[in-house]
Amino acid sequence: LSLFLERKIKVILYTDKEFYDITGFPPWIGGAYDGAIHLPLASVNPESDIFKRVIKHELTHAILHNSTRGRCPTWLHEGLAQYFEGERSLNEKKLYDALEKGNIPSINSPSFLIVEREKSILLYEISLMAVIFLKERGSMGAISNFIKKMGEGEHIENAFFESFLFPYNDLTERLKDYLRKKI
């Protein structure tokens, strides 16, 4: 994406109990970013694959927050964080059915943690699918352009249209069409 942090990011490791007691997050959340990276991995080997994936995920959040001055939508945060941690497995049929039937909240939901776990998981998967779709339709350069425009203060709808050449409000319908062709 050619995006960089302007400062060092503090990483705080907790025991699992400390992390979940302090944050109040459900036990399936693997980390958090709020200006620092918080990880419930104090006993995990920093050389392990899971540790590396979680660090990549949370570091992506830090870079996006910095690059957009806090204006990055949740779906892009979570989609890119999963993408750069290496996640690629998706159940396209299940995602399509959920979108078609309206069984999940909008991709523009401000938080993916305010819904039950199954819907939250679908929102994470739809977010990853949106990133894959936008990368295939445009490129990582177009995604980077979108991020940079938001960071420059451009309204999200304008930044999106200039980067992907279709209206921001059409993203969910375009994802349905994309998934329909894949299944």
Side-chain angles (χ1 to χ4, degrees), residues 55-71:
I55 285 289
K56 288 175 188 176
H57 185 104
E58 298 305 328
L59 187 57
T60 300
H61 286 310
I63 291 168
L64 290 172
H65 183 80
N66 177 72
S67 299
T68 64
R69 313 285 187 254
R71 300 177 71 235

Side-chain angles (χ1 to χ4, degrees), residues 81-92:
Q82 291 174 90
Y83 185 85
F84 286 118
E85 81 175 48
E87 184 59 52
R88 296 294 187 284
S89 65
L90 294 165
N91 182 334
E92 286 131 352

Side-chain angles (χ1 to χ4, degrees), residues 1-30:
L1 290 174
S2 299
L3 304 171
F4 306 95
L5 287 170
E6 296 171 352
R7 62 181 175 82
K8 291 183 179 182
I9 299 295
K10 182 188 281 188
V11 177
I12 304 167
L13 301 177
Y14 302 89
T15 65
D16 287 354
K17 181 177 178 358
E18 289 172 330
F19 178 81
Y20 298 111
D21 285 350
I22 290 168
T23 65
F25 286 146
W28 50 273
I29 297 298

Side-chain angles (χ1 to χ4, degrees), residues 127-145:
S127 296
L128 176 57
M129 179 58 64
V131 166
I132 292 168
F133 165 70
L134 293 172
K135 179 180 178 261
E136 286 180 14
R137 187 181 192 287
S139 66
M140 271 303 178
I143 294 171
S144 179
N145 186 57

Side-chain angles (χ1 to χ4, degrees), residues 32-75:
Y33 173 76
D34 66 358
I37 295 174
H38 303 269
L39 301 172
L41 302 170
S43 62
V44 173
N45 176 354
E47 297 300 316
S48 72
D49 287 341
I50 190 162
F51 186 85
K52 290 174 185 176
R53 286 178 65 113
V54 171
I55 285 289
K56 288 175 188 176
H57 185 104
E58 298 305 328
L59 187 57
T60 300
H61 286 310
I63 291 168
L64 290 172
H65 183 80
N66 177 72
S67 299
T68 64
R69 313 285 187 254
R71 300 177 71 235
C72 187
T74 303
W75 68 265

